[in-house]
Amino acid sequence: MKIVITGAGGMIGWHTAVRVHAANCAARFKGGEAPYDLVTLDHAAFDDDAALLAAITGADAVLHFAGVNRAPDDVVEAANPAIARRLSEACRIAESRPHVVYANSTHATRDTPYGRSKRIAGEILSGIGGRYSDLVLPHIFGEGARPRYNNVTATFIEAVIAGETPEINPEGRVSLLHAGAAAQAAMDAITEGQIGTIRPVSRDIAVMELFELLRRFHANYQANIYPDLRDPFTVALFNSYRAALYPDGFPRPLKLNADARGTLFEAVKGGGGGQTFLSTTVPGVTRGDHFHLSKVERFLVVRGEAVIRIRKVLSDEVWEYRVSGAAPSPVDVPSLHTHSIENVGDNELLTLFWTHDLFDPANPDTYADKVLK
């Protein structure tokens, strides 16, 4: 199935592309063929006539996340219908009738420049001629969100990390949906043939409560305490917060309590459960080279020398962290980032791994993807 993602440079577009890539990685790991031909279009590619036409030709599905939500009112009102017309015209020229999944907004019913623009864009896209799914989304949060860019969650995360308190409407409320859930809803629409209006279930929360929750995350995490991660919404919000700490927030040195008998330190606190592994690795060997969509995972070297490498999925930049058992300093791997650990010492490496959930072979949330390409 050829899947085209517009707006692939944005948060929802990236989350969706990662999920498509994960499905391909899982199939290849089992020795099968990748089920999807993924084509991602960022802003520049979408504006390139040749690139857009090549992408649309033969496309089975278009997940349309491209759009404008922050600009002067007249620009916003004109931009989203214009983007939809461009996609519709490309489909006409390519004689393509893909299943279009449109990332619409709960604001589309409002008589505002943004609301009108989203509503009109949907009307244009529904006329392309193939299957059409109207994916109505509330406020989206998640890893990779931009603070101070129409994203209250990312803005609050930036503030709590900086030790600041922004102005908050005490009466305000927001309906939240993780970008991964939005991405999965878009994928389900094309794989299950869902058409018409789709409204993923979101979490309604007071804006003040959201800020206080993130503030507690930060205060406790600085004390090496995880929140209770038995609720999927909490996991998604905590992962969004953790991702914003990268690349400079790790490794995180632990407090060592030493006396004549030796040394004691706390490896993991909180989390509501989880699973702990200990592994040995011989010199020169690398473990990992995989990523997770939601799993919270801690790497803690307790003996030996290692380099932990992390790369944002579908990107090229690699972060490297040198860690040593002589000064235990955990690295908590962000979700949607492929990672590995290499023994770079002369002796056996001993590493503690902790995850927030029990390993489920039927749903491992682990996708093979080499960090170093």
Side-chain angles (χ1 to χ4, degrees):
M1 178 183 287
K2 183 179 181 180
I3 296 178
V4 177
I5 297 177
T6 70
M11 177 175 56
I12 306 178
W14 174 61
H15 275 256
T16 307
V18 170
R19 277 175 164 9
V20 176
H21 178 64
N24 285 343
C25 289
R28 293 189 186 106
F29 182 75
K30 296 177 181 178
E33 294 291 329
Y36 301 112
D37 174 13
L38 173 62
V39 180
T40 57
L41 296 175
D42 60 12
H43 188 279
F46 188 83
D47 286 345
D48 184 304
D49 290 343
L52 178 59
L53 188 61
I56 295 302
T57 299
D60 297 290
V62 175
L63 307 183
H64 185 56
F65 302 120
V68 175
N69 59 18
R70 184 168 181 170
D73 285 350
D74 58 334
V75 174
V76 169
E77 186 151 14
N80 289 307
I83 292 170
R85 290 189 189 97
R86 179 168 175 77
L87 177 59
S88 178
E89 179 65 8
C91 289
R92 185 191 67 79
I93 295 172
E95 298 183 345
S96 179
R97 298 293 181 268
H99 182 165
V100 175
V101 180
Y102 171 47
N104 206 341
S105 168
T106 54
H107 292 272
T109 59
R110 300 180 184 180
D111 190 23
T112 63
Y114 178 66
R116 291 190 295 270
S117 75
K118 292 296 286 185
R119 184 168 61 252
I120 293 170
E123 292 168 356
I124 294 168
L125 295 169
S126 67
I128 286 178
R131 289 178 173 176
Y132 176 70
S133 303
D134 186 34
L135 183 62
V136 182
L137 301 176
H139 184 83
I140 301 297
F141 72 97
E143 303 89 324
R146 294 168 59 183
R148 292 171 282 110
Y149 187 80
N150 284 6
N151 196 292
V152 65
T153 308
T155 301
F156 281 178
I157 289 172
E158 181 184 62
V160 299
I161 292 173
E164 301 171 351
T165 302
E167 291 187 14
I168 301 174
N169 177 5
E171 305 299 323
R173 299 192 69 84
V174 64
S175 185
L176 295 178
L177 182 72
H178 185 244
Q184 192 60 53
M187 287 294 297
D188 290 345
I190 61 173
T191 57
E192 300 173 10
Q194 301 172 11
I195 59 173
T197 301
I198 301 171
R199 296 179 183 271
V201 177
S202 57
R203 176 72 66 94
D204 186 73
I205 187 172
V207 175
M208 185 65 76
E209 181 184 353
L210 173 64
F211 179 76
E212 286 302 316
L213 181 57
L214 291 166
R215 188 189 61 77
R216 288 196 300 273
F217 279 175
H218 186 63
N220 288 334
Y221 201 48
Q222 299 313 297
N224 196 34
I225 302 172
Y226 286 96
D228 189 328
L229 296 172
R230 288 174 290 185
D231 171 37
F233 175 77
T234 303
V235 172
L237 195 61
F238 184 61
N239 279 339
S240 303
Y241 157 75
R242 289 194 308 120
L245 297 171
Y246 272 89
D248 299 325
F250 295 90
R252 303 168 65 90
L254 296 176
K255 179 183 178 182
L256 304 183
N257 300 289
D259 58 24
R261 298 168 297 174
T263 303
L264 179 145
F265 60 88
E266 296 175 332
V268 179
K269 291 190 289 186
Q275 188 168 0
T276 303
F277 308 81
L278 279 171
S279 79
T280 60
T281 307
V282 299
V285 170
T286 298
R287 288 183 177 271
D289 277 327
H290 59 240
F291 65 93
H292 313 291
L293 298 179
S294 63
K295 189 185 296 290
V296 179
E297 185 174 38
R298 167 163 288 191
F299 283 20
L300 178 57
V301 168
V302 295
R303 187 178 68 222
E305 305 289 327
V307 169
I308 295 171
R309 296 184 176 91
I310 298 174
R311 176 176 59 79
K312 182 179 178 180
V313 175
L314 300 178
S315 73
D316 296 323
E317 183 182 7
V318 176
W319 305 323
E320 293 193 353
Y321 302 93
R322 182 71 182 249
V323 289
S324 170
S329 302
V331 172
D332 293 347
V333 180
S335 44
L336 291 88
H337 289 68
T338 188
H339 48 276
S340 66
I341 181 168
E342 179 186 2
N343 183 350
V344 295
D346 298 325
N347 301 306
E348 187 177 68
L349 181 72
L350 179 62
T351 310
L352 179 149
F353 300 94
W354 177 84
T355 63
H356 83 282
D357 60 356
L358 301 183
F359 180 75
D360 179 3
N363 184 30
D365 186 20
T366 300
Y367 303 94
D369 191 23
K370 285 191 173 296
V371 176
L372 300 178
K373 298 180 180 180

